[in-house]
Amino acid sequence: MNVHDRYAGLSGIEQMRALQASGGRPPIMETLQFELLEVEDGRVAFVGTPGPHAYNPIGSIHGGYAATLLDSACGCAVHTRLSATQAYTTLELKISYLRGMSADTGLVRAEGSVISVGRRVAFAEARLVDAKGKLLATASSTLLVIDKAA
């Protein structure tokens, strides 16, 4: 499900709220089994429960699981600040892993927030915490803002 195509003509925050209200999940959210929980101006939150579907060969949750939740949180936070004629793509994502995860970790929450959005570049940050509030990973992201009308 492409949010831009399905909700064409809506601003970024309107698109994110429509996606949340519909309960729709783009394929990556289906694959990694996470949900869009909150949408605000410049902030979003995703939740998921890491499990066997996200294990790596060494028997722990793959770092890509955390990276995907953090990248989604950063990108979608920026998306809430975009107009109907803008899109974004991640240019850079820096992640710091502080704690590993397993199927016993339980529910995790990735919360992303905008630092700034300019005409061509946006900056965002995100945190991944477990249900007890323990910090698992952090991210900072640089995103390219694209004018779709050009």
Side-chain angles (χ1 to χ4, degrees), residues 49-50 61 100-108 129-132 136:
T49 303
I61 299 299
M101 291 184 281
S102 73
D104 297 328
T105 299
L107 188 74
V108 296
V129 298
D130 68 14
K132 296 175 185 172
L136 304 171

Side-chain angles (χ1 to χ4, degrees), residues 45-58:
F46 290 94
V47 293
T49 303
H53 66 283
Y55 266 79
N56 62 27
I58 63 171

Side-chain angles (χ1 to χ4, degrees), residues 31-98:
T31 300
L32 292 182
Q33 303 172 18
F34 64 99
E35 305 283 335
L36 176 60
L37 181 68
E38 297 173 6
V39 176
E40 296 176 14
D41 180 32
R43 193 186 75 76
V44 299
F46 290 94
V47 293
T49 303
H53 66 283
Y55 266 79
N56 62 27
I58 63 171
S60 63
I61 299 299
H62 192 284
Y65 181 82
T68 300
L69 268 69
L70 292 164
D71 185 41
S72 296
C74 286
C76 290
V78 167
H79 193 94
T80 68
R81 294 275 178 90
L82 301 182
S83 73
T85 62
Q86 292 176 304
Y88 72 90
T89 190
T90 302
L91 289 173
E92 180 181 58
L93 182 68
K94 183 199 181 296
I95 300 173
S96 296
Y97 296 97
L98 300 146

Side-chain angles (χ1 to χ4, degrees), residues 5 39 83 102 117 120 125 127 139:
D5 293 342
V39 176
S83 73
S102 73
V117 178
R120 298 286 295 155
E125 59 190 7
R127 298 168 41 93

